[in-house]
Amino acid sequence: MKKNKKIILVLVAVVVLFFVGKYVYDMHINHNFETITEGKVYKSGVIPPDEIADYVNKYHIKSIVDLRFPGTADLVNNPELPSELVAEKEAVGKIPGVNYFNNGSDQVPNAQNLDRFFKIMDNPDNYPVLIHCYHGVGRAEMYSALYRIEYENFSNEDARHAVRPIIKWGAFDDGTPKGEYLKAYQSRKQQSEQKP
């Protein structure tokens, strides 16, 4: 019996270490960088200013859409500091041919955010584009889903499920603000078809 308990404890420890290691790698080494559409759209969390050029060069990024904005009281979802935004903008400004767009957004976008985002994404000269927020798992995934709906004809549900696995009590689950927003979202094409 003692041997079985030891084996179970070792297995639990391995699983825990795996997930801790994956979290550390994704958040702090990989910055939650992910390909949305190869050669066109990528998403991430904050990339330190001294590493931005490496990502730009590796993925041929021409535009960075920063969804952060300073001054929020939400230290969990939006822990942005003005100095961090300035440092990123300055770092991007030193890379020839790369555009920096700040489109500070809450977790669920408003009409003004969408207008700015679509103006950026409608311009073929801006691609490839990197969309990022602080962690890379909230706003960046929301806008990635909207990109897929608007530009790749994903259904709302396919786009919602493509951003991350839908798990009970997850940020994009049924009944959550982000999940319900994506389920109800109407693309610009749908809106124009409804006009008389």
Side-chain angles (χ1 to χ4, degrees):
M1 195 63 145
K2 283 185 177 183
K3 186 176 180 182
N4 287 342
K5 282 184 179 179
K6 283 183 180 180
I7 291 172
I8 291 171
L9 285 174
V10 168
L11 288 174
V12 168
V14 168
V15 169
V16 167
L17 287 173
F18 171 79
F19 284 107
V20 167
K22 182 172 177 6
Y23 172 79
V24 169
Y25 175 77
D26 284 347
M27 282 295 291
H28 301 290
I29 297 171
N30 188 38
H31 314 294
N32 280 327
F33 188 91
E34 185 179 316
T35 300
I36 300 302
T37 301
E38 185 70 42
K40 289 190 83 175
V41 178
Y42 304 90
K43 73 94 186 160
S44 75
V46 174
I47 297 172
D50 61 334
E51 295 179 35
I52 292 173
D54 295 337
Y55 281 86
V56 165
N57 291 331
K58 183 175 181 178
Y59 296 96
H60 310 289
I61 293 167
K62 290 187 181 176
S63 299
I64 296 175
V65 178
D66 186 349
L67 300 170
R68 299 174 300 154
F69 63 98
T72 67
D74 182 353
L75 298 178
V76 175
N77 295 315
N78 301 327
E80 294 91 5
L81 299 171
S83 58
E84 291 176 352
L85 276 76
V86 170
E88 178 176 319
K89 185 176 181 178
E90 289 175 353
V92 173
K94 294 176 184 175
I95 307 170
V98 179
N99 304 306
Y100 172 84
F101 300 100
N102 182 271
N103 187 18
S105 176
D106 284 314
Q107 296 295 315
V108 173
N110 62 38
Q112 186 179 13
N113 288 128
L114 293 178
D115 289 344
R116 274 185 271 176
F117 181 67
F118 296 142
K119 185 175 180 181
I120 295 163
M121 303 306 278
D122 284 345
N123 184 345
D125 294 335
N126 287 331
Y127 289 86
V129 176
L130 171 63
I131 303 166
H132 86 84
C133 58
Y134 190 84
H135 300 291
V137 296
R139 292 167 286 178
E141 289 182 343
M142 170 65 78
Y143 282 82
S144 296
L146 294 171
Y147 165 80
R148 286 174 161 155
I149 292 168
E150 291 286 347
Y151 299 92
E152 297 185 346
N153 298 313
F154 272 54
S155 72
N156 293 41
E157 278 302 289
D158 287 345
R160 185 169 75 106
H161 286 270
V163 292
R164 75 163 98 155
I166 304 300
I167 57 171
K168 193 68 179 158
W169 302 294
F172 290 86
D173 188 16
D174 293 332
T176 64
K178 287 186 245 188
E180 293 302 313
Y181 179 85
L182 282 175
K183 285 167 49 176
Y185 177 78
Q186 288 195 329
S187 69
R188 294 178 294 174
K189 181 180 177 183
Q190 289 171 315
Q191 291 174 28
S192 68
E193 288 171 353
Q194 291 177 356
K195 290 182 181 175

